[in-house]
Amino acid sequence: MDLDVKSITKRYGHVTALSDLSLTIPAGSLTCFLGPSGCGKTTLLRVIAGLETAEEGQILLGEDDLSDTPPSERNFGVVFQSYSLFPNLTARRNVQYGLECRGWSRGRRRARAEEMLDLVYLRDQADKLPEQMSGGQQQRIAIARALAPEPSLLLLDEPLSALDAKVRAELRSEIRSIQQKFGITTIMVTHDQNEALEMADQIVVLRDGQIEQVGAPRDLYAHPQTRFVADFIGAINLLDISANAEGTAQFGTQELRIEGPLNGATTLGLRPEAITLSDHPTGAENSLACTVTNTRFMGNLQHVELRPNDAPDQLLQVEMNGLAQTPAPGDQLLANFPADALLVLR
Ligand code: ATP
């Protein structure tokens, strides 16, 4: 069943944390709430969980209005950033805990706990206390505990942010494959764009308690509508332009070819990997004569920074294959890109 967030407003005193926010979380999807600190991600998750009460609006699961249902009766599994396991219970008892509360029989509880421990590859750790396990293991147990009672929704509040990079990467793909295996509708709060791009079916970009843009990862990357989204998801060149008399984009003293209308936009986005460099004209729709100012070798990639000769107060970042020949500062090169690589941003 889809989860519908309808016109939710949540205030803390004078602070409006969520402002008339509406959203559908499709059944079986993994949706990420993404945005900078303070944008309202956690508040929205907590309102959905029932841990906060909104002043206005409704939370609907299918046809059921859950707005007045207490959290314990929503049948949602929740995992927090701090693993929040019961410190005095073994891993197995932690996983079984929610089942005891729901009155599952002893045999069923035990079988379900074994199944969940297998799922997170920790059956051999079942008799350990939380303090005897690593952070990654504790978070796996927290996920097993949340999933054990067969919740209708899984809510994850920055579940990976306390873990080191390697464990985080492993758990990203584990959580995604568990979520897909069970087809469980899942919401994850994160401020890490890579996490959202890698894991989500749908990303909700939040800003100041409102939705800035919603879409599939590829969609948001390829078609950001605003400067905020373009800048928040992936690296991008933001070109300051003005509309010239013909209504096309003027970049310094050069005109740029774009697809579609400018609609009053004063910023164009251009992904670094959409630009190719050459020392001779290639027939590209856009070609800017540039001076190389800097290069950075990153292994598989290299970044080249250039100053467009016709717009010398702006810089272009270009991403090239790490094995390609590296230009030198001062080199004169053409930065080539097609019209449809220029993103018109609000
Ligand atoms: P972070 O990534 O830093 O956790 P967030 O996007 O999850 O940020 P929220 O925690 O949802 O943001 O906070 C949204 C706004 O509401 C912020 O301005 C925050 O200061 C405010 N806020 C959140 N919780 C409370 C509270 N209990 N009392 C008062 N203000 C709060």
Side-chain angles (χ1 to χ4, degrees), residues 12-13 15-17 35-44 52 158 189 191:
Y12 296 106
V15 177
T16 303
S37 187
C39 69
K41 308 178 291 288
T42 298
T43 302
L44 181 55
E52 298 284 355
E158 304 232 19
V189 166
H191 59 258

Side-chain angles (χ1 to χ4, degrees), residues 72-111:
S72 57
E73 289 170 30
R74 292 193 185 192
N75 191 29
F76 293 170
V78 188
V79 176
F80 298 99
Q81 175 183 342
S82 53
Y83 326 120
S84 55
L85 297 175
F86 301 111
N88 54 335
L89 299 183
T90 62
R92 178 185 286 109
R93 290 287 311 284
N94 262 287
V95 177
Q96 288 184 9
Y97 182 83
L99 309 179
E100 274 173 53
C101 301
R102 286 171 174 77
W104 288 37
S105 71
R106 200 184 151 88
R108 236 181 116 208
R109 281 199 316 256
R110 207 167 165 95

